[in-house]
Amino acid sequence: MTLVCGGILVSLVLSIGGSSGSGGRIRKMLCGMFVALIAISPLRSVDFSNLDNPLQDYTAMAQAASQSGITQAKDTMISIISEQTEAYILDKAETLGVSVNVDIEVDSESLQPTFATITGSVTPYEKEMISGFLTQELLIERSAQRWKN
């Protein structure tokens, strides 16, 4: 509304005073500056100090979402590694003709299998073969292998 009123005022000034000659050029220039000032005057009421806060909030939300995604991805990787390792051990046990259940724990930092619980009825020879396989191929120490009947 202010801009429209300013435009009307500028039109009146230019129509009364004329826009030709050296005085007319100065009037045109002053009227143009007046309209530009009216156009940018609403910027005086904008509080630029608050612009950082929304950006900080969005940055914090983005960082939280990123961390949540990393945690979910790591948990998924641990689950996949555990399942694949269990399936691999079951396949090895099956080649020996042994039926066992396997539960693998995976280190959250290194994503390496660190502990194995093997449940089933096995002979000492079968236990030694599977235990050797766990130690040599999967690097699960004998002290980190728990056997249950």
Side-chain angles (χ1 to χ4, degrees):
M1 186 69 166
T2 306
L3 190 59
V4 171
C5 291
I8 293 171
L9 181 63
V10 165
S11 298
L12 286 174
V13 168
L14 290 177
S15 66
I16 293 173
S19 60
S20 60
S22 63
R25 287 189 199 126
I26 292 175
R27 271 191 294 281
K28 278 186 189 179
M29 182 183 69
L30 291 174
C31 287
M33 288 173 44
F34 177 71
V35 170
L37 184 64
I38 290 173
I40 63 170
S41 67
L43 292 177
R44 288 183 302 153
S45 63
V46 175
D47 185 13
F48 292 106
S49 65
N50 290 335
L51 288 180
D52 289 344
N53 292 337
L55 294 178
Q56 289 174 351
D57 292 343
Y58 289 129
T59 302
M61 289 186 330
Q63 288 173 343
S66 172
Q67 187 60 41
S68 174
I70 289 169
T71 302
Q72 285 181 341
K74 191 175 245 186
D75 290 346
T76 301
M77 285 299 297
I78 289 171
S79 177
I80 290 170
I81 290 168
S82 177
E83 290 173 9
Q84 293 294 319
T85 304
E86 289 169 7
Y88 189 62
I89 294 168
L90 291 174
D91 286 345
K92 288 291 189 174
E94 189 177 304
T95 61
L96 293 172
V98 177
S99 177
V100 293
N101 289 324
V102 179
D103 184 40
I104 297 293
E105 293 179 21
V106 177
D107 181 55
S108 62
E109 293 302 316
S110 67
L111 298 178
Q112 297 292 320
T114 56
F115 195 85
T117 303
I118 301 96
T119 306
S121 180
V122 295
T123 66
Y125 171 76
E126 294 166 339
K127 180 178 178 180
E128 182 60 33
M129 293 297 292
I130 294 172
S131 183
F133 159 74
L134 292 172
T135 303
Q136 292 173 2
E137 292 190 31
L138 298 176
L139 304 176
I140 300 174
E141 298 295 325
R142 290 182 188 266
S143 61
Q145 298 173 18
R146 184 177 359 159
W147 292 85
K148 295 181 179 179
N149 285 338

